[in-house]
Structure formats: C-alpha cells, structure tokens
Amino acid sequence: MAISFEINGQERQVEAASDTPLLWVLRDYLGLTGTKYSCGMSLCGACTVHVNGNPVRSCVTPVSSVAGKSVTTIEGVDTSREGRAVRSAWNELDVVQCGYCQSGQIMAAAALLAGNPDPDDADIDAAMAGNICRCATYVRIRAALKEAAKSLA
Ligand code: FES
Ligand code: FES
C-alpha cells in the first residue's frame, strides 16, 4: 500500500506492506541509515526516532501507524532547538564512544528536553532508561543533557 508521511520536513510516499517496521522503511527505502538496528524488540533504544515529537522505537512501529504524521530522525535533529542544543553538547563533552547507540540516545535526549527544559537526575534516568549503551557512556550522557538544558535556558 502507499503510505504518505512527513520525514525530516519533507512529504514522502512509500509503497510498503502496512506492517513493515518504520526502521526498515527509513533505512532501506529512504536511505536514512543514521537510525540503527540493534535488538529489533524495543529493548535497547538504538532505533529511536520522533513521531509527532514523541520518541518511538522504530523497529516495532509499523509504517502504517505513521501515515499522515511527522517523523524526525537523527538526520533531521537540527530542525529543533532542543535537537541542536543536544547535538552541540554531545560534541562539546565528547559523549560518543563506538557511536552505535548514539543516534537513539540523542533523539531520546532531544525529546526529553522538549517536554522538560530542566530535567534533574531522576528525570534523566527515567527518560533515558530504555536507551542502552554497551560502552557505558551514561555519565557523559547525563552531563551533556544538563549542558544542553543550560544552553537552552
Ligand atoms: S533496535 Fe529498536 S529498541 Fe533495539
Ligand atoms: S557508544 Fe558504544 S554502544 Fe553506546
């Protein structure tokens, strides 16, 4: 079936089975490979994107559920103020180690700041708990999130 949605500010239409995971559509149909596949079962957060501003696991989101909605991936994170602040704090604090989990971490962090401009440690831990980092960059992620929040104040 033909499914239309907005992706990083552009209207696109894809021909796909309605239950195709959004992650497949992003990577294989649209060539947006910044969003990563890891567990495929909503357990790790590596595939996190925004749908209408909310963080979702694209590996378990059927593409039909985003019809008519707005999807933002790491390639479009700069379109929001929070996304720009997070990206810049991530660079400044050199958060990334191997990098595999980081597009998901950045999308989760940007969504957190959009809903809560001044998160404390508990808010950060709750919002980021589902984003696993096998390199254990958690301390730098927390510091960068606070730095990003400061830059937005
Ligand atoms: S790949 Fe989607 S949550 Fe792990
Ligand atoms: S930076 Fe390597 S998995 Fe997170």
Side-chain angles (χ1 to χ4, degrees):
M1 66 186 285
I3 298 155
S4 301
F5 58 99
E6 190 183 287
I7 174 77
N8 298 331
Q10 284 194 315
E11 275 301 326
R12 294 293 299 264
Q13 189 177 72
V14 294
E15 276 293 336
S18 61
D19 60 351
T20 308
L22 176 60
L23 177 59
W24 271 231
V25 170
L26 294 174
R27 292 183 56 89
D28 294 349
Y29 294 53
L30 300 175
L32 295 168
T33 54
T35 306
K36 304 303 183 198
Y37 172 74
S38 184
C39 69
M41 295 188 292
S42 194
L43 297 172
C44 75
C47 65
T48 304
V49 300
H50 298 172
V51 176
N52 287 351
N54 299 310
V56 304
R57 305 296 191 237
S58 61
C59 68
V60 293
T61 300
V63 66
S64 54
S65 74
V66 305
K69 296 184 179 167
S70 169
V71 178
T72 307
T73 67
I74 189 70
E75 288 87 351
V77 75
D78 274 2
T79 53
S80 77
R81 204 169 154 255
E82 292 81 12
R84 282 193 297 280
V86 166
R87 209 182 70 156
S88 133
W90 249 242
N91 284 340
E92 203 177 309
L93 275 73
D94 209 6
V95 169
V96 176
Q97 199 162 315
C98 82
Y100 201 83
C101 72
Q102 295 289 331
S103 60
Q105 303 281 4
I106 287 171
M107 298 313 286
L112 166 61
L113 288 182
N116 177 357
D118 187 22
D120 61 19
D121 287 349
D123 297 330
I124 292 173
D125 289 350
M128 304 297 289
N131 286 78
I132 308 300
C133 176
R134 69 181 173 184
C135 301
T137 59
Y138 302 113
V139 173
R140 292 201 298 275
I141 285 171
R142 192 192 267 184
L145 248 166
K146 289 185 175 172
E147 189 59 37
K150 220 189 298 170
S151 78
L152 289 168

